[in-house]
Each structure stands twice: as structure tokens, then as C-alpha cells.
Amino acid sequence: MFVLGLPYAILHGGYLGLFLIIFAAVVCCYTGKILIACLYEENEDGEIVRVRDSYVDIANACCAPRFPTLGGRIVNVAQIIELVMTCILYVVVSGNLMYNSFPNLPVSQKSWSIIATAVLLPCAFLKNLKAVSKFSLLCTLAHFVINILVIAYCLSRARDWAWDKVKFYIDVKKFPISIGIIVFSYTSQIFLPSLEGNMQNPKEFHCMMNWTHIAACILKGLFALVAYLTWADETKEVITDNLPSTIRAVVNIFLVAKALLSYPLPFFAAVEVLERSLFQDGNRAFFPNCYGGDGRLKSWGLTLRCALVVFTLLMAIYVPHFALLMGLTGSLTGAGLCFLLPSLFHLKLLWRKLLWHHVFFDVAIFVIGGICSVSGFIHSLEGLIEAFRTNAED
């Protein structure tokens, strides 16, 4: 979904933005591999065995024995922020797309967001990933249609592509936001431990990571470049807003469908993390179990789920800036979960077995990721404050 913001990243970064799309793919592929390496240890017989199951287990192992649960709680907070912000972005983009598709209707962007949230309320009743997977399948089909329509329109205007507009110039104030957008489009580390654990042949994990990141890098780079060449300096935060009104309405309807169908996965994942850490963590749980003895969700637990849906709506209404919000999230949690924590955990858990170049890569990724994270967060926050001031003046 967030590929729609990549042409906006090229607008403020030019060729360096394209380079970052490639660089982020390489780094995220590497950190995904080292994160999985932290799940394994060598036993007494010299065999490599899986001793941890999740990102949280890795974090707790790094903080043991002094603070055995501190690392897990930090990762849980980062995961919840990332997942909830993703849900908020889906509501924001739904309202934005519907408003721009039907500008003549007397319905504001906030009102469209409210309508989208009303459609999403049944997500509170989701019980398992099997139900979520059906929405994800439909989401994938919608994505194919969207890509074909946007790329076909861009290719039809290939004669007018503005190659001279793609430069090495960097907008120093806005480019850090682009870094957050690019990073956020690659975030998958929180799902990798579970994914690797469910593979029929976990030994193929590295091969899978290589090919998926190569494919993602090529497709994202081409989409961002082709879209930017078509509209150049007129490129908007959500690239479909640049399409002619007739095509835009069709594409945006598919995009809204995709956003609504994408919402259940991060919502369900966020609910699982919240329930596991706050309501089901044995004696360490902060609140009583939200499930009854028969395994059914209690009424107050369902109310809390509905409240989470409403919370994403309220955030979407008061922070309706897609690219800035995506940049903020990518800089705040995306960089932490994708760059900082995996390299830190790798150094801590496998320090004695690492070769010098692995240590160099981990330290370099941690330092560069930290600088990019802080810079992107500050500039995204400044951008949001400026946008709020502009809205207030209007």
C-alpha cells in the first residue's frame, strides 16, 4: 500500500531516493537474516537448534539476567506503535482517496474516514488468522489491478517523461521524511520469526529473503521512477491523486478496497500483542484474562477491540497527512525494528562467533540507522506541525 508514497520520496531525493530504495532493500534483507540467526544457538553436540520463537524472546534474552522482561516490553511497545500506526494510515488513505475521487460531493475527508471506520468495525470480531487471510487474498488481487492501471497510464505518457527533473539535488528539509517513507515500505521484521518457523524447509529462508527483496526493490524502484517521470514536480503525497479524474475514481475505489482489506492483518496482530502482553501473560499480566473458560472473548474484551478501531479513526481525523505520518512511523519504529534492534541483538547474542566484517556491518547499520531515524523523526514532526499551522490559518 505504501508504495504509493515512493514517487513523493523521489520528488525530494532524486537519484539518491532511488539509491535509498536499493540500499534499504539490501540492509533490510541483511537485518532480517541476522534477526533469524538470533533465534538459534549451538547445543552440546555442536548442532544449531532453534531456542527462541519470537522477536520478544530475542529481546528478553539480550536483557537477561538483570532485566529479563525489559527487552520484550520495549519490542512489544514498538510493535504496537508500528501496527496501530499502520491501521491509522489505512483509514487516512481511505478518507483521502474517497475525498479526491468525489470532490463534488458535500462530504469532507473526515466524514469519509468515519464511513471507512464504520465498515471496519466488524474487525473487532476476528478470531483467527484464517479469516484474516481471506481478506489478504482479496487485497492482493486488488493490488494487481491498481498497479496495472497506474503503470499503463504512465507508459501512455512516456513521450512526455521529464528525465531532466530527476537530479542529484536533495531537499535537505524534506528528504529525511523520504527516508522514513522508504524504510516503512520495507518493514517486515516483526513477522519474520513466525514466518521462518512455519516454513516447510527453514533452510531456504535466506534464499527466500534474497529473491523477495530483489523483486521488491526492482518493482518499487521502477514504480517510483515511472510515476515521478510522469508528473515530475507535480507529484503528490499519494500518487493516484495525480491521475485524471475519470481514471482516478476507478483506481481510488480499488485502492480504498485494498486499504480496507489490508486493515484486518495489522489490527489482528496489534490485538494479539496487546492481549498477550496485558491480559494473558500469566502472573505478569496487568489485567484479568479477556477470554472466558470456554475460550470465548468476554464482552468487555470485545469493547476494548472496538475502542481500538475508534482510536485509529480519531488519530486519522486529527492527523490526516499520509506521507508525513508514514515518514514519522518509519523513522520512529520502522528504523528501530528493522535496523537498530536486529544489529544490536546480533552483536549481543553472537559476539564471540562473529567475523570482523559482520561486526563492522552491524555497527555501521546501527549508527547510520540511528542518524536516519532521529533525522527523519524530527523533520516529519516539523512537517506535521507546519501542516497543522497551515490548516489552522486556512
Side-chain angles (χ1 to χ4, degrees):
M1 191 69 188
F2 308 113
V3 173
L4 298 175
L6 290 179
Y8 187 73
I10 303 298
L11 172 66
H12 298 303
Y15 284 112
L16 188 57
L18 281 174
F19 169 76
L20 272 174
I21 290 174
I22 300 170
F23 180 73
V26 173
V27 174
C28 286
C29 183
Y30 173 76
T31 56
K33 291 176 182 178
I34 63 174
L35 182 69
I36 296 304
C38 293
L39 296 173
Y40 292 83
E41 284 188 5
E42 193 174 300
N43 64 12
E44 295 176 354
D45 299 324
E47 298 175 344
I48 302 298
V49 293
R50 203 176 203 258
V51 295
R52 302 177 188 95
D53 294 319
S54 66
Y55 208 141
V56 171
D57 290 342
I58 296 171
N60 283 335
C62 285
C63 293
R66 288 189 177 182
F67 308 101
T69 61
L70 177 63
R73 286 178 179 172
I74 291 172
V75 168
N76 273 336
V77 169
Q79 285 181 332
I80 290 167
I81 292 173
E82 174 108 349
L83 293 165
V84 172
M85 289 289 260
T86 303
C87 292
I88 293 166
L89 280 164
Y90 285 135
V91 178
V92 169
V93 81
S94 296
N96 178 287
L97 291 169
M98 291 304 291
Y99 178 71
N100 285 292
S101 299
F102 306 102
N104 297 324
L105 290 179
V107 184
S108 66
Q109 181 174 331
K110 293 179 180 180
S111 299
W112 281 118
S113 295
I114 293 170
I115 294 169
T117 306
V119 175
L120 293 169
L121 269 176
C123 288
F125 295 91
L126 288 170
K127 293 181 179 179
N128 51 52
L129 273 175
K130 188 176 181 180
V132 176
S133 67
K134 294 176 183 177
F135 293 111
S136 296
L137 175 62
L138 294 172
C139 167
T140 305
L141 296 175
H143 189 68
F144 277 116
V145 175
I146 294 159
N147 278 358
I148 290 169
L149 290 174
V150 174
I151 294 295
Y153 178 80
C154 291
L155 292 176
S156 71
R157 292 186 54 190
R159 292 182 180 179
D160 302 322
W161 281 357
W163 286 100
D164 57 312
K165 296 289 185 180
V166 188
K167 300 177 181 178
F168 288 98
Y169 162 80
I170 298 173
D171 186 332
V172 178
K173 189 173 182 181
K174 293 188 177 181
F175 183 64
I177 301 171
S178 301
I179 297 173
I181 292 172
I182 292 168
V183 169
F184 195 60
S185 74
Y186 280 108
T187 52
S188 64
Q189 268 70 358
I190 57 176
F191 302 108
L192 292 182
S194 175
L195 178 65
E196 192 262 355
N198 283 282
M199 288 179 70
Q200 285 186 331
N201 186 4
K203 292 180 180 179
E204 294 181 349
F205 177 79
H206 280 215
C207 180
M208 179 276 293
M209 287 292 286
N210 291 337
W211 284 109
T212 50
H213 280 77
I214 288 170
C217 174
I218 292 170
L219 293 172
K220 289 175 182 180
L222 287 175
F223 183 88
L225 181 61
V226 167
Y228 175 73
L229 289 173
T230 305
W231 289 287
D233 294 339
E234 301 299 319
T235 301
K236 296 182 179 179
E237 288 186 13
V238 182
I239 196 61
T240 53
D241 287 348
N242 288 103
L243 292 167
S245 56
T246 50
I247 302 175
R248 186 198 312 158
V250 176
V251 173
N252 282 358
I253 287 171
F254 274 101
L255 275 170
V256 170
K258 177 174 167 51
L260 297 178
L261 291 166
S262 299
Y263 185 97
L265 178 59
F267 176 81
F268 185 77
V271 165
E272 275 201 321
V273 174
L274 284 168
E275 288 180 349
R276 187 170 59 248
S277 56
L278 298 179
F279 303 97
Q280 296 173 294
D281 196 15
N283 295 328
R284 294 177 296 182
F286 291 95
F287 304 101
N289 198 325
C290 55
Y291 288 90
D294 56 356
R296 290 186 179 183
L297 187 67
K298 295 178 181 177
S299 57
W300 62 269
L302 181 61
T303 303
L304 289 175
R305 287 188 175 199
C306 292
L308 183 59
V309 178
V310 174
F311 173 75
T312 61
L313 166 66
L314 294 174
M315 287 294 291
I317 288 175
Y318 290 107
V319 194
H321 301 282
F322 179 72
L324 292 173
L325 195 58
M326 189 164 68
L328 184 70
T329 308
S331 300
L332 182 64
T333 60
L337 291 170
C338 287
F339 299 155
L340 306 181
L341 294 182
S343 55
L344 189 64
F345 294 163
H346 195 227
L347 288 169
K348 177 71 168 63
L349 293 174
L350 301 173
W351 172 259
R352 294 180 180 179
K353 300 177 182 179
L354 296 180
L355 299 175
W356 70 269
H357 60 275
H358 289 141
V359 175
F360 174 77
F361 288 150
D362 289 350
V363 172
I365 289 169
F366 185 84
V367 172
I368 295 171
I371 294 170
C372 291
S373 177
V374 172
S375 176
F377 177 76
I378 292 171
H379 285 85
S380 296
L381 202 58
E382 287 177 350
L384 281 171
I385 293 169
E386 187 178 329
F388 277 118
R389 285 177 180 170
T390 304
N391 289 345
E393 289 172 2
D394 291 342

